[in-house]
Amino acid sequence: MRRALQMEDNMARKKIIAGNWKMNMTPTEAVALVNELKPLVGNDDVDVVFCVPAIDIIPVAEAVKGTNIKVGAENMYYEEKGAYTGEISPNMLKDAGVAYVIIGHSERREYFKETDEIVNKKVLKALEHGITPILCCGESLTQREQGITIDWVRQQIKIAFQNVTADQAKTVVIAYEPIWAIGTGKVATTEQAQEVCAAIRVCIGEIYDEATAAAIRIQYGGSVSGASAPELFAQADIDGGLVGGASLKPDFGKIVNYNK
Ligand code: PGA
């Protein structure tokens, strides 16, 4: 019964597959890549997002016009405007045509010292401006070996969602990305990925309620490829993927069309 309900919820949630280009592609290269991938990523069953470097947002927004592709940013600052040299505000993103923003990617947490508190401020600010956060969480290899994966991820989620209302939370996309699986070619097993995504959904149910837990979309990220996508995305609590390396290649078309 529980399993049947879970599968019903799974079918009700539209899959979302987002590319994370990271620090790759000049504006010229970005437009060429969009033109190469455009014919490969048509699939009405899924939301398709290209999260691109800030300087590529405007040319990419232009290049995806008339397609199913939405544009996302890879980061955003949590202040409205002012003396924050080098930062980009939610208004700037919105005006440039951005619909999604990756927040709290493990690379930003590690190299740019983003804390859970900063991540929370960014989530709140993005929601305030009608930009959908793709909120990243995930454990290191050491944490997995110590057996604290679920505790760690639950803590990241609880802090990230502070002061976020249930109605807002329903619109957030969570990306579970085990750090040891990012860019390593070492994809988590479907059981590992499903276990943590299910635990995240339980955590959302505890913070809010069953309806919010059933509505929120949870992606898996970490070395997703055209080969691994079908099995991963068939899991009860996995609603798509956040894709790094493979999002820069035609393989992204296979990932988006995992159900064909
Ligand atoms: P990967 O990156 O697909 O190259 O492992 C995923 C990510 O960092 O979002």
Side-chain angles (χ1 to χ4, degrees), residues 20 22 105 107 177 181-183 222-224 242-245:
N20 172 12
K22 309 197 179 186
H105 190 279
E107 286 149 18
E177 299 202 306
I182 295 176
S223 297
V224 174
L242 182 57
V243 183

Side-chain angles (χ1 to χ4, degrees), residues 99-119:
Y100 295 84
V101 58
I102 299 176
I103 291 179
H105 190 279
S106 59
E107 286 149 18
R108 295 217 54 90
R109 293 178 189 256
E110 183 183 349
Y111 305 133
F112 304 99
K113 307 291 169 250
E114 284 193 13
T115 62
D116 286 324
E117 287 70 24
I118 293 173
V119 167

